[in-house]
Amino acid sequence: MRLTSRCGRSGRSDLRSERISPGAERARVARQRRRGFVAPRAAELRHYVMCPPVFLDETPPATGFTARTTTAMGQWERLRAVLIGLGHRVSLVPGRPGLPDMVFAARAATVVGRRVLGARPRTAARSAETPAYLEWFARHGFRSALEPVFAHEGESDLIPVGPRLLAAVGPLTEAAAHAEAQAFFGLPVVPLELADPRFPRLGSALTVLGEHTAAYYPGAFTPTALRRLTRVFPERIEVDEADAAALGLDAVSDGRSVVMGDTTPALAARLAERGFRTIELDMSAFAVHGVSVRGCVLELRAAR
């Protein structure tokens, strides 16, 4: 793990906050405002759901199964420990045999308040994942849940941001899923058309760093989608193609700390320059599946 502070890359593995004098903090805030930042960076406590990768590599051939599973579990446990160390709550959904992709929790549902909209993957092999997650939510007091009619990949395609819902227009999301989500949550939908087949999910092309701030790869979106992003996010951080392709945008932010993979050090440095603290983790066991930090974490968001 690498941790980057506003002063640069320190190489420390602990999560203790730096001691900053009030004068230095005021100077930092003033610099941010001169650069057009919306507000000082401030963390908000989050509630996340994760599913351990017990069955991630269960599919044949089984050669090396134990080694692959052990590596993935170690990386997943480190991610979980980091989130808890930042003060966030992490609830666990048990995996099920025959459903290796349950570990990719962000693709399972979108949750706002006590309302859970399950995902509907286009592939039949993943059709049992949504009922498994919805059963867990029902057992934990989420009484308003919907197994959708139209295809989308959960919070990887439908991302709540403040009083709205960002919605992918792409190969994994049916257009009718937007109206279904809007009716269920009562939130207006902002359609964002994806233009590059290498980035089929909204979560692979954009990271929400705060209600007013996002990092994104412009080449993944159509001109209309870029204009809409401008209206939603007053502060935008453009990411280059190489960092986007290396899963740099598959990250989790609490508004202050950004937990991300360790494959995009230049992007981590840029985020640190913008006032974020970045925590870089080895997610190589998941990268072979096209996933990094964000794909393994589903956020349970408060109602607005």
Side-chain angles (χ1 to χ4, degrees):
M1 180 186 77
R2 291 199 292 269
L3 187 151
T4 305
S5 74
R6 69 179 67 84
C7 298
R9 303 170 70 80
S10 66
R12 294 174 297 183
S13 60
D14 63 87
L15 298 176
R16 292 172 294 181
S17 299
E18 298 175 352
R19 186 166 297 175
I20 306 167
S21 70
E25 181 66 12
R26 285 194 296 271
R28 181 182 70 82
V29 171
R31 287 194 300 272
Q32 287 181 339
R33 288 175 176 166
R34 285 197 298 272
R35 293 173 183 171
F37 293 161
V38 172
R41 308 302 179 198
E44 295 182 0
L45 294 183
R46 309 294 174 95
H47 184 184
Y48 299 117
V49 162
M50 298 177 66
C51 176
V54 178
F55 304 105
L56 178 60
D57 289 305
E58 68 175 355
T59 52
T63 304
F65 166 73
T66 302
R68 291 198 308 271
T69 301
T70 300
T71 299
M73 185 63 74
Q75 294 176 3
W76 181 91
E77 288 283 11
R78 184 58 181 142
L79 169 59
R80 176 173 172 252
V82 165
L83 295 174
I84 293 172
L86 289 170
H88 306 306
R89 179 182 174 188
V90 178
S91 297
L92 300 183
V93 175
R96 295 189 181 184
L99 299 177
D101 287 349
M102 277 189 70
V103 64
F104 307 134
R107 300 179 185 177
T110 299
V111 183
V112 180
R114 306 297 291 179
R115 303 182 71 79
V116 183
L117 178 64
R120 180 170 288 279
R122 285 189 179 273
T123 57
R126 294 183 52 209
S127 61
E129 293 173 21
T130 294
Y133 269 93
L134 292 183
E135 287 174 18
W136 182 90
F137 279 111
R139 289 197 305 271
H140 288 79
F142 290 78
R143 301 304 179 194
S144 183
L146 177 66
E147 188 168 354
V149 174
F150 302 102
H152 65 86
E153 297 247 328
E155 202 177 44
S156 291
D157 281 334
L158 300 173
I159 305 177
V161 178
R164 63 184 68 82
L165 190 67
L166 305 185
V169 179
L172 302 175
T173 307
E174 291 184 89
H178 295 183
E180 188 175 35
Q182 180 168 305
F184 182 68
F185 289 119
L187 296 175
V189 166
V190 180
L192 297 172
E193 186 174 2
L194 299 167
D196 188 328
R198 295 174 300 167
F199 303 94
R201 297 177 178 88
L202 186 56
S204 65
L206 174 142
T207 296
V208 177
L209 299 170
E211 184 173 339
H212 305 288
T213 307
Y216 68 108
Y217 169 48
F221 297 95
T222 64
T224 298
L226 291 174
R227 288 193 294 272
R228 289 173 177 162
L229 284 173
T230 299
R231 292 195 292 269
V232 173
F233 297 106
E235 182 188 3
R236 299 171 304 284
I237 301 171
E238 293 190 6
V239 174
D240 64 28
E241 180 180 1
D243 282 343
L247 304 176
L249 290 168
D250 200 320
V252 169
S253 172
D254 62 11
R256 170 68 178 93
S257 296
V258 181
V259 186
M260 59 195 300
D262 64 359
T263 58
T264 55
L267 174 57
R270 286 186 61 207
L271 294 175
E273 290 170 358
R274 292 292 195 106
F276 293 97
R277 177 174 64 167
T278 61
I279 302 168
E280 300 170 65
L281 304 178
D282 179 4
M283 297 294 290
S284 55
F286 300 92
V288 297
H289 298 275
V291 173
S292 187
V293 170
R294 185 70 189 89
C296 295
V297 179
L298 171 62
E299 183 174 344
L300 309 188
R301 302 171 188 273
R304 297 298 297 266

